[in-house]
């Protein structure tokens, strides 16, 4: 263990009062955040001293402290005492809720009410959500603190991006439902929902979530934010005249976890995943994905669209979707993994098997309600909430209104249902 690593270990031990613990294992990891920055973390597993010399193969003993620290900022991402039991001595203790909020502010450098706010309170738990001046953020950061009956810390986690002020375009919120009613109406979609227990499908009109820019200049699809990563949009239909007769495709094992050295972590070496996808790589990947489809789905010319490319874990991931989508909640999707160096397809994931499960379900009843009728039934139940949303094109957070609705309309009976009931 080198001097820099030892400093982090000692810093952690002292901060959380791990005097009755010994360091069992540690490792370095790296990831790329939505700002395309490389983040290095060090993960540690501290075992209670009374476990020394015992064998633990599959699980950590009760009271183990599993701790992850950001190597650069020295902020802790997570602290978990297994099974909520701590053997810390003079560790982190809280007397009340205000005490916890002050500690979170101190740990994260964030200001309560301006950058995070209380979301949920349960016995022994406080859950916070990221905000910007009290306005919700997407993708949202989450902070959680758990404590035992004596007020001792048993869990802390902080995940999110919590942007600096210069990354946020602050403006007064001016959107009203009247201004965006036509957009809202277009978000009403006829969808077949699977009722798992009854093994049948139900057709219902539901609202597809969408972010509308405060100035109404553009919209940001909800699924883009769910992915929380930058990607290159392609949207190209793939067709061919001839299939590739050799239909065998040998899957290579994918290495999701990379070995990261202390030198890489402390030097802040950029991850290869931060590299832009070049024009040549884009062209080569498109050809390779088409050839993959010609081999694995030979009769599907024109059926598939290459939606996007992005880097992840040393591979270029090509997201392919069926051109013609049905009304099902889950849509057909193939993720083709391309080796970053050889630009050869090495593996793929197809959700067809999951979708085939629904083929056995009882078909939905006949649709008797029109989209316009459904819209009128839920019009008064729409939600339009202000959100600061990360715009990948502008590399900043912009003020939007989130169109959403917790209700759906049964397409056969016209009954208004809570989405949770479907």
């Amino acid at each position: 263990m080198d001097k820099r690593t030892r400093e982090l270990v000692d810093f952690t031990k002292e901060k959380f009062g791990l005097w009755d613990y010994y360091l069992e294992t540690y490792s370095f990891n790296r990831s790329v955040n939505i700002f395309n920055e490389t983040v290095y973390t060090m993960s540690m597993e501290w075992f209670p001293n009374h476990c020394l010399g015992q064998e633990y193969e599959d699980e950590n003993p009760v009271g183990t402290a599993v701790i992850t620290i950001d190597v650069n900022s020295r902020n802790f991402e997570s602290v978990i005492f297994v099974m909520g039991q701590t053997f810390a001595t003079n560790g982190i203790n809280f007397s009340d809720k205000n005490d916890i909020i002050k500690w979170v502010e101190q740990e994260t450098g964030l200001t309560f009410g301006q950058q995070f706010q209380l979301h949920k309170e349960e016995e022994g738990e406080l859950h916070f959500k990221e905000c910007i001046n009290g306005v919700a953020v997407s993708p949202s950061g989450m902070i959680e603190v758990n404590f035992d009956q004596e007020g001792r810390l048993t869990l802390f986690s902080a995940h999110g991006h919590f942007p600096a002020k210069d990354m946020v375009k602050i403006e007064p919120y001016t959107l009203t439902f009247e201004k965006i009613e036509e957009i809202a109406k277009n978000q009403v979609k006829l969808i077949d929902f699977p009722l798992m227990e009854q093994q049948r499908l139900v057709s219902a009109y539901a609202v597809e979530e969408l972010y509308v820019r405060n100035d109404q200049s553009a919209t940001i699809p909800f699924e883009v934010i769910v992915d929380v990563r930058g990607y290159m949009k392609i949207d190209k239909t793939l067709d061919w005249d001839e299939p590739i007769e050799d239909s065998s495709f040998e899957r290579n094992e994918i290495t999701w976890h990379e070995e990261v050295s202390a030198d890489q972590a402390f030097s802040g070496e950029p991850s290869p995943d931060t590299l832009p996808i070049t024009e040549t790589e884009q062209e080569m990947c498109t050809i390779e994905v088409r050839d993959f489809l010609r081999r694995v789905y030979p009769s599907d010319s024109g059926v598939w669209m290459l939606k996007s490319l992005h880097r992840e874990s040393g591979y270029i991931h090509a997201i392919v979707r069926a051109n013609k989508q049905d009304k099902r909640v889950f849509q057909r999707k193939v993720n083709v993994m391309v080796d970053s160096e050889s630009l050869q397809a090495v593996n793929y994931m197809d959700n067809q098997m999951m979708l085939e499960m629904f083929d056995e379900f009882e078909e939905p009843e006949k649709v008797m309600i029109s989209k316009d009728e459904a819209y009128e039934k839920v019009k008064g139940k729409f939600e339009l909430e202000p959100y600061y949303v990360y715009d990948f094109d502008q590399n900043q957070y912009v003020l939007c209104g989130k169109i959403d609705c917790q209700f759906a309309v049964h397409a056969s009976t016209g009954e208004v249902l809570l989405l949770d009931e479907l």
Side-chain angles (χ1 to χ4, degrees), residues 6 16 60 64 136-137 144 171 174 205 225 237 262 315 347 361 366 373 378 396:
R6 171 53 63 190
F16 294 101
N60 290 330
T64 297
V137 178
E144 183 179 350
E171 56 184 295
T174 57
Y205 290 97
I225 300 303
T237 296
Y315 300 92
N347 208 325
F361 281 30
K366 189 178 177 186
E373 288 173 312
V378 292
Q396 69 172 174

Side-chain angles (χ1 to χ4, degrees), residues 63 66 120 161 357 365-366:
V66 183
K120 192 168 63 174
H161 300 94
M357 174 176 71
E365 298 169 55
K366 189 178 177 186

Side-chain angles (χ1 to χ4, degrees), residues 26-228:
Y26 71 91
S27 62
F28 292 97
N29 306 285
R30 69 177 168 194
S31 59
V32 177
N33 64 20
I34 61 171
F35 313 133
N36 208 38
E37 300 164 340
T38 305
V39 178
Y40 281 93
T41 56
M42 179 182 174
S43 296
M44 297 165 257
E45 290 183 354
W46 296 80
F47 281 17
N49 282 344
H50 62 252
C51 298
L52 195 60
Q54 298 180 48
E55 292 289 324
Y56 296 93
E57 286 183 15
D58 299 326
E59 56 186 36
N60 290 330
V62 172
T64 297
V66 183
I67 299 177
T68 302
I69 185 173
D70 184 306
V71 171
N72 179 47
S73 68
R74 287 198 172 193
N75 284 341
F76 288 91
E77 274 193 6
S78 65
V79 180
I80 301 165
F81 287 92
V82 172
M83 300 299 288
Q85 191 166 334
T86 174
F87 298 106
T89 308
N90 298 326
I92 308 298
N93 290 273
F94 307 115
S95 54
D96 56 26
K97 183 163 63 177
N98 288 335
D99 206 14
I100 292 172
I101 290 170
K102 281 180 192 165
W103 182 79
V104 171
E105 285 187 320
Q106 182 185 314
E107 278 308 300
T108 60
L110 304 172
T111 304
F112 183 68
Q114 291 180 25
Q115 292 166 292
F116 72 103
Q117 55 195 3
L118 189 60
H119 171 58
K120 192 168 63 174
E121 188 174 352
E122 295 176 355
E123 189 178 347
E125 297 179 19
L126 288 182
H127 299 256
F128 302 94
K129 278 186 93 164
E130 181 181 358
C131 67
I132 294 172
N133 296 335
V135 175
V137 178
S138 187
S140 179
M142 307 292 286
I143 299 170
E144 183 179 350
V145 179
N146 294 3
F147 47 94
D148 64 15
Q149 290 182 325
E150 282 79 52
R152 296 176 301 181
L153 178 76
T154 57
L155 181 146
F156 166 70
S157 69
H159 295 288
H161 300 94
F162 303 100
K165 284 182 181 175
D166 60 359
M167 291 198 70
V168 183
K169 188 180 178 186
I170 300 288
E171 56 184 295
Y173 182 68
T174 57
L175 275 185
T176 61
F177 188 75
E178 288 69 36
K179 287 181 180 177
I180 54 93
E181 184 171 356
E182 205 52 45
I183 297 173
K185 192 173 181 179
N186 286 332
Q187 291 308 106
V188 176
K189 314 283 183 184
L190 182 60
I191 297 167
D192 288 347
F193 291 88
L195 298 185
M196 305 303 285
E197 285 183 11
Q198 300 171 31
Q199 297 224 320
R200 66 186 181 94
L201 298 168
V202 172
S203 286
Y205 290 97
V207 176
E208 192 173 40
E209 295 153 299
L210 184 73
Y211 295 104
V212 182
R213 286 284 299 266
N214 188 46
D215 59 9
Q216 300 172 66
S217 61
T219 60
I220 300 173
F222 183 72
E223 70 168 7
V224 168
I225 300 303
V226 172
D227 287 342
V228 291

Side-chain angles (χ1 to χ4, degrees), residues 334-396:
V334 178
N335 179 2
V336 183
M337 284 144 255
V338 177
D339 183 270
S340 296
E341 293 182 8
S342 67
L343 296 180
Q344 300 287 305
V346 291
N347 208 325
Y348 70 101
M349 289 190 293
D350 184 345
N351 68 350
Q352 184 178 13
M353 273 182 67
M354 181 191 80
L355 300 182
E356 282 174 350
M357 174 176 71
F358 302 128
D359 292 342
E360 306 298 318
F361 281 30
E362 185 186 322
E363 286 294 311
E365 298 169 55
K366 189 178 177 186
V367 173
M368 304 297 289
I369 305 292
S370 71
K371 177 178 169 176
D372 287 346
E373 288 173 312
Y375 173 70
E376 289 302 323
K377 283 176 179 285
V378 292
K379 181 178 172 181
K381 298 180 185 297
F382 270 80
E383 296 169 8
L384 182 65
E385 299 288 335
Y387 266 79
Y388 278 102
V389 180
Y390 186 67
D391 188 322
F392 285 93
D393 295 328
Q394 294 189 15
N395 296 323
Q396 69 172 174

